[in-house]
């Protein structure tokens, strides 16, 4: 029996983690649950799974939660409560959205837990701080991102420990998002509704917009570099609209190994919970009895400049990814609230990166500061533009 903590329990990743646990009740037991503000759903999960501890991010909802959860359940509050809760199970699923997930990533690894990481931003923004914590006895970092879960499986084919041995390159696949093939004139007119229509994956709004700009893929390039210790020159991105091949690894002898399934996040979640074993409930298995075609094409780097902005921030290293990630979160917020057009997301990030100060990622404070500075660059730019 593996004990599981789910942070961001009421979001997209959290709810799908709950489904995996429901499917395999003999294998997994939820002992800790946390959500930011969806108190009713959190309480209903607590009544179903009877965890030892729950946490609510928004302190104003703590009293409501206390009344709704089974007697004897410990209730924690706020960011500190999250970090405490992240030490209370063998596997910690970090499904928090955005940079706010950093504290949980650091807490889970430094307490020697397996971190099932869906919150890629914490690894991307704070790679230099997260890396040494991976050496904590018992600590383990398994990605809950379909591409990186695929890469994790591909790398195991040439090294049982999943090290990047005999590797020529990692090939990250991208669906291309809803605007694949669109020209610059059409992209000027993109609406929020259109950007939230992902062709193959149903996800939260922030990551869906990131997918439409290819920033999500850029962040995933940095994530792959951090997870597997592979040089940026050895990470390739290829557009694959069907989202069936989740990523590939090409080895020095010319062989490419790929992992395929229907797009279903429950598969990477279950992989991270059960590794090195596999669960017996299939999620996303392909029906090979029907006709299928798979397509691959290079990304349009000109109309989707966020991809190369991310490569550049990654290669700069230190606090540049945090700076860029902060700028991106602010720009995506501005787009979602109707203040800027879709192409301005990339403009604002580029302008923020041009102001990067080169600060070393020596502490959590340095990373938090870079994140804040990235956001401030966007805010200043917006007010200069009268938005
Ligand atoms: Mg992904």
């Amino acid at each position: 029996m593996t004990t599981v903590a789910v942070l961001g329990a009421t979001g997209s990743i959290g709810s799908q983690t709950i489904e995996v646990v429901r499917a395999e009740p003999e294998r997994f037991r939820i002992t800790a649950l946390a959500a930011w503000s969806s108190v009713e759903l959190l309480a209903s999960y607590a009544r179903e799974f009877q965890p030892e501890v729950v946490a609510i991010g928004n302190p104003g909802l703590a009293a409501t939660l206390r009344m709704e959860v089974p007697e004897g359940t410990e209730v924690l509050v706020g960011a500190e409560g999250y970090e405490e809760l992240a030490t209370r199970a063998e596997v910690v699923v970090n499904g928090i959205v955005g940079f706010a997930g950093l504290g949980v990533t650091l807490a889970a690894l430094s307490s020697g837990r397996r971190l099932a990481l869906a919150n890629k931003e914490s690894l991307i923004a704070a790679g230099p701080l997260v890396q040494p914590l991976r050496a904590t006895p018992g600590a383990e970092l398994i990605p809950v991102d379909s591409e990186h879960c695929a890469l994790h499986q591909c790398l195991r084919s040439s090294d049982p420990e999943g090290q990047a041995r005999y590797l020529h390159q990692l090939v990250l696949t991208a669906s291309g998002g809803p605007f694949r093939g669109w020209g610059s004139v059409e992209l000027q007119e993109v609406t929020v509704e259109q950007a939230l229509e992902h062709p193959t994956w149903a996800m939260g709004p922030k990551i869906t917009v990131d997918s439409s700009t290819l920033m999500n893929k850029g962040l995933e390039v940095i994530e792959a570099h951090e997870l597997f210790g592979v040089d940026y020159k050895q990470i390739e991105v290829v557009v694959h609209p069907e989202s069936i091949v989740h990523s590939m690894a090409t080895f020095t002898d010319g062989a490419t190994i790929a992992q395929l399934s229907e797009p279903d996040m429950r598969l990477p979640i279950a992989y991270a919970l059960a590794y090195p074993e596999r669960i017996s409930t299939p999620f996303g298995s392909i029906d090979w009895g029907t006709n299928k075609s798979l397509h691959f094409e290079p990304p349009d780097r000109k109309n989707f400049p966020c991809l190369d902005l991310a490569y550049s921030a990654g290669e700069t290293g230190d606090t540049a990814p945090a700076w860029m990630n902060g700028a991106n979160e602010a720009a995506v917020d501005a787009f979602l609230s109707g203040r800027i057009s879709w192409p301005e997301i990339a403009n604002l990030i580029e302008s923020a990166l041009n102001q990067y100060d080169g600060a070393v990622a020596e502490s959590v404070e340095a990373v938090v500061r870079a994140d804040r500075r990235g956001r401030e660059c966007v805010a200043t730019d917006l007010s200069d533009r009268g938005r």
Side-chain angles (χ1 to χ4, degrees), residues 203-216:
M203 306 174 289
K206 193 265 176 182
I207 187 171
T208 304
V209 174
D210 283 349
S211 296
S212 80
T213 60
L214 289 193
M215 178 53 90
N216 183 54

Side-chain angles (χ1 to χ4, degrees), residues 4 6 12-22 93 269 273:
V4 180
V6 190
S12 170
I13 292 293
S15 301
Q16 293 181 83
T17 305
I18 301 273
E19 288 176 34
V20 170
V21 172
R22 277 188 190 132
V93 178
I269 291 167
L273 296 185

Side-chain angles (χ1 to χ4, degrees), residues 120 145-147 216-217 220:
K120 67 186 77 164
D145 198 343
S146 58
E147 295 79 359
N216 183 54
K217 207 52 51 182
E220 289 180 349

Side-chain angles (χ1 to χ4, degrees), residues 273-311:
L273 296 185
Y275 173 81
E277 296 177 11
R278 287 184 185 268
I279 66 166
S280 38
T281 310
F283 289 113
S285 57
I286 295 171
D287 173 6
W288 290 107
T290 60
N291 289 346
K292 288 215 173 0
S293 338
L294 301 175
H295 297 85
F296 301 91
E297 63 192 43
D300 174 357
R301 304 183 109 97
K302 188 173 143 286
N303 283 316
F304 297 84
C306 285
L307 180 59
D308 283 332
L309 291 173
Y311 265 96

Side-chain angles (χ1 to χ4, degrees), residues 94-288:
N94 185 350
I96 296 168
V97 176
F99 185 69
L102 177 60
V104 165
T105 289
L106 299 176
L109 290 175
S110 57
S111 63
R113 307 296 164 183
R114 171 183 297 175
L115 174 63
L117 185 65
N119 177 266
K120 67 186 77 164
E121 291 87 346
S122 57
L123 178 62
I124 290 156
L129 302 176
V130 174
Q131 292 299 3
L133 297 180
R134 292 172 77 178
T136 310
E140 192 175 21
L141 179 47
I142 310 280
V144 179
D145 198 343
S146 58
E147 295 79 359
H148 304 77
C149 175
L151 293 173
H152 198 271
Q153 296 177 66
C154 296
L155 290 173
R156 282 170 77 188
S157 71
S158 83
D159 181 277
E161 302 293 311
Q163 299 296 311
R165 275 178 92 193
Y166 310 117
L167 183 75
H168 171 60
Q169 65 175 1
L170 300 177
V171 184
L172 278 160
T173 52
S175 71
F179 311 133
R180 183 176 61 88
W182 289 32
S184 57
V185 177
E186 298 162 282
L187 289 169
Q188 286 290 344
E189 307 301 325
V190 160
T191 64
V192 170
E193 289 67 34
Q194 288 171 318
L196 291 178
E197 282 290 315
H198 196 278
T200 51
W201 290 98
M203 306 174 289
K206 193 265 176 182
I207 187 171
T208 304
V209 174
D210 283 349
S211 296
S212 80
T213 60
L214 289 193
M215 178 53 90
N216 183 54
K217 207 52 51 182
L219 293 174
E220 289 180 349
V221 167
I222 304 176
E223 183 184 10
H225 165 82
E226 294 290 346
L227 278 169
F228 305 114
V230 172
D231 199 84
Y232 284 101
K233 292 182 181 60
Q234 285 179 281
I235 306 174
E236 189 67 71
V237 170
V238 62
V239 171
H240 165 51
E242 292 86 5
S243 298
I244 296 293
V245 175
H246 296 298
S247 277
M248 307 178 262
T250 299
F251 294 96
T252 47
D253 61 357
T256 292
I257 305 291
Q259 184 254 320
L260 286 71
S261 72
E262 297 290 344
D264 188 330
M265 280 311 292
R266 292 172 299 180
L267 171 55
I269 291 167
Y271 178 86
L273 296 185
Y275 173 81
E277 296 177 11
R278 287 184 185 268
I279 66 166
S280 38
T281 310
F283 289 113
S285 57
I286 295 171
D287 173 6
W288 290 107

